[in-house]
Amino acid sequence: MTRDTPDDTGATDGTGGERGDGSEPRASPGVPEAGRDEQPSIFVPDDGERAGGSEADESEADERPATDGGVESATGGSDSAELDPDAYDPVDVFPGGDLDLREGADSCYKCTSCDTSCPVAEVDDEFPGPKFQGPEQWRLKRKDDHDIDESITSCSNCMRCDDACPSSVPLSQMHNEARGQFVEEQMEKLSVEYVRNRILANYRTSARLASVFPRTASFAMNFGPVRWAMEKTLGIPKERDFPEFATETFREWWKARGGAQVEDPDKRVAYFHGCYSNYNTPEVGKAMVRVYEHFGYEVMVPPQKCSGTPMFANGMLKDARRHAETNVESLIDAIGEGADVIASCTSCSMSLRQEYPELFDIHGIEDVSEHTYEALEYLRIHEDLEGELAGSELADDRSYAYHAPCHARNQGLARQAVETFRDVDGVNMEDVGDSCSGISGTYGWKEEKYEKSMKIGEEMFEHMEDAEGDVGMTECPTCAMQMEHGTGYEIKHPLQLLEETVGA
């Protein structure tokens, strides 16, 4: 494997830093240069003064109405279309930031599509909605250095607003930056809320410790008095059932089987399994490996940390960056060996695809974004799944109530499971609608948000119960928690059904 490392001259690896060989610094991947709306503004003086002009120029200026800088005036002005830089004074309306969001903010024309699509705003009358949390708060902060409004912590980061906006305003990016700034600068670091959120955001750390004694941890975390104590001390609702920890993690299974069973340098994928498939549902990861090997892929499982999704939702951007640096380095190595990146969790694929390049300037991050796919999506693109499944039949009939996660919808994958299995004999896949499940990662794991999360999920629960089957299906592990919690149904991942269908 090859990696970009500093050479003997002290040149950097392309992260935008100074190079010791005296050459120009490389551009930082993922960090846009100042956009046209972030450039210094200009104006035509309205007092007749023109910098460096002659008396004749001044006399002429008195007779001409000021315009917006060279565009002919509607009132008969005759400015030259050629702009003279000496004739204008630069004005920095907003101070420059690390990321250029001015153009996106100016694209918002207050249609409120984002607000009407927001599941939190629908059930929480005190939440001002995505429009305020995004472009309006961004303008206030840039212009007058306002504090970030505390309501930003009520955003669940479902990102449905991104999908709803007709003007492509980077709403979730604005929310992530605002939430990160609020947590960093305004939240009390010794508060119960901060400690609780830090624990929830760093689920990988808790899961790794619990996996040392998985049975004991699973029992203790769901023991009544422990649950009561966690609610009283940390604000984690006692109504929530903690997921069980696997007695053998996915990575332990992968190591025990001897790694990949198929070798093909021309057909490789790097599996980003995420935290949940490793520590809680390794059966999903196993299904992914077997299905891909069935189609002749060599599966790689590179070193990795959390995708950062729960950290983004809780404003822990420094934590997320540390994890992202490890992930990007490992995944870039795999991409360099001819692999595409595959995730079985739609929140993980969304994080690698969209949130990483929006928020971080890590070298190679754009390549990771461009080479990342959701697992079923990749097979539908590169394999003849329709032909593979044609005529296939299961031993017994199955009916599933399928829920498309919000982060799947944002990637255009809302109906992929329904479309994949609709022609399989003996499989009835029923879409339960486009409502949000309500849990939104860690949002529904907070005592003050629990009732709201259940209210958001009511429509999904009702549709599931009206569906023919009593087994749910989704690609998102936290949506699966909410589906099971609200209905009592067993929940499966599409890869598990695909494994059985193709006989992998």
Side-chain angles (χ1 to χ4, degrees), residues 445-497:
W445 280 91
K446 301 171 183 178
E447 181 189 10
E448 69 274 16
K449 306 289 197 303
Y450 173 74
E451 291 299 334
K452 295 182 179 69
S453 77
M454 295 302 289
K455 189 171 182 62
I456 292 171
E458 280 182 358
E459 182 178 344
M460 181 191 70
F461 301 147
E462 292 172 359
H463 288 171
M464 287 183 67
E465 291 169 354
D466 290 340
E468 182 177 335
D470 57 2
V471 176
M473 179 168 286
T474 189
E475 295 95 332
C476 174
T478 53
C479 286
M481 293 181 202
Q482 181 83 327
M483 295 165 75
E484 183 178 6
H485 182 64
T487 63
Y489 289 2
E490 178 186 10
I491 312 299
K492 294 288 188 179
H493 192 286
L495 286 173
Q496 292 175 276
L497 178 58

Side-chain angles (χ1 to χ4, degrees), residues 357-437:
E358 282 183 346
L359 298 170
F360 304 135
D361 59 350
I362 303 168
H363 177 57
I365 207 164
E366 294 285 358
D367 288 330
V368 171
S369 172
E370 292 170 4
H371 284 83
T372 296
Y373 301 83
E374 192 277 332
L376 187 57
E377 171 198 22
Y378 191 81
L379 290 176
R380 296 184 73 204
I381 293 172
H382 294 282
E383 302 297 330
D384 181 16
L385 271 189
E386 184 176 350
E388 181 77 19
L389 297 177
S392 59
E393 185 176 358
L394 298 178
D396 54 337
D397 292 347
R398 312 280 182 83
S399 293
Y400 296 92
Y402 172 72
H403 166 73
C406 296
H407 289 175
R409 296 179 182 280
N410 293 345
Q411 297 173 79
L413 308 176
R415 289 184 55 81
Q416 65 170 0
V418 175
E419 293 169 355
T420 298
F421 297 107
R422 62 188 171 192
D423 294 327
V424 177
D425 290 339
V427 174
N428 177 36
M429 191 71 62
E430 190 169 348
D431 192 331
V432 297
D434 62 358
S435 59
C436 177
S437 74

Side-chain angles (χ1 to χ4, degrees), residues 154-233:
S154 291
C155 168
S156 68
N157 202 39
C158 71
M159 303 170 73
R160 291 172 76 99
C161 51
D162 279 356
D163 200 37
C165 179
S167 301
S168 299
V169 175
L171 289 155
S172 64
Q173 182 181 7
M174 292 177 172
H175 300 161
N176 277 328
E177 286 200 5
R179 190 163 43 244
Q181 188 169 347
F182 176 83
V183 170
E184 182 70 20
E185 299 178 3
Q186 296 170 230
M187 183 176 280
E188 174 56 53
K189 301 305 183 290
L190 296 179
S191 66
V192 171
E193 182 182 9
Y194 178 84
V195 173
R196 187 266 315 274
N197 291 358
R198 190 73 184 270
I199 293 173
L200 290 174
N202 287 274
Y203 174 74
R204 180 178 182 272
T205 300
S206 303
R208 185 174 54 189
L209 294 173
S211 67
V212 177
F213 301 103
R215 291 189 178 90
T216 302
S218 297
F219 172 78
M221 297 292 279
N222 287 291
F223 185 50
V226 174
R227 301 294 301 283
W228 179 87
M230 284 195 292
E231 180 173 274
K232 295 301 180 184
T233 59

